[in-house]
Every structure is written in structure tokens, then in C-alpha cells.
Amino acid sequence: MVRKKATVQTPYLPEVGEVVKDVTADEEVVYMDTRGGLAYVRPVGGGIERTVDPAALQPSPDGVRLAFVLIPAKSRLGDVE
């Protein structure tokens, strides 16, 4: 009897801020970090961070994209807008 070797797939390892697909929720999310064996992600438009199994993350079908946030500069008292 010939046994097939089990292939172990390495989970996809995204960059921080990369938009990835969460296959368990079937949605695109922004990858934040992996700690304690869990991946931290948040919705693309912003929202509450949640944890997922890192094996559930795949590259975005639209290709690699990075999410970014524009933070307005703090205005000083007396500044004219």
C-alpha cells in the first residue's frame, strides 16, 4: 500500500494594512497583526477589530492592496480655515 504524503500548507502571511479575504466570513478585511496564534482584522471601511484563524486569510481576489487612513492635522486656536 502506498501512502500519500500529507501536504502542509503554510498560511498566507499578509503585510500589516493589507486588504485580505476572510474566507470564514466571505468578506474583505484589513489585516492588522497576528498575536497568540490569532490574526487581528478589521472591516475595510473601519470598525471594530476582531480575531480570526490565520489559516482563514487569503490574498484579495483583486490583487494586493493596502488600506490607509488620512488623519487631518490638528488645527491650532486662531488658525483660519
Side-chain angles (χ1 to χ4, degrees):
M1 177 176 200
V2 177
R3 287 187 179 184
K4 288 185 178 181
K5 285 188 176 181
T7 57
V8 177
Q9 281 189 326
T10 304
Y12 179 65
L13 195 59
E15 296 289 326
V16 172
E18 183 178 338
V19 177
V20 294
K21 172 135 180 161
D22 174 5
V23 295
T24 56
D26 194 31
E27 66 181 354
E28 289 192 329
V29 293
V30 179
Y31 173 77
M32 304 307 289
D33 199 1
T34 298
R35 296 200 178 220
L38 294 172
Y40 288 78
V41 298
R42 63 178 62 219
V44 173
I48 298 173
E49 194 169 273
R50 61 185 171 88
T51 57
V52 297
D53 180 0
L57 299 180
Q58 295 180 350
S60 172
D62 298 332
V64 175
R65 296 179 293 155
L66 296 178
F68 62 93
V69 177
L70 296 177
I71 302 172
K74 292 182 180 179
S75 63
R76 293 177 290 172
L77 291 175
D79 283 354
V80 178
E81 293 189 23

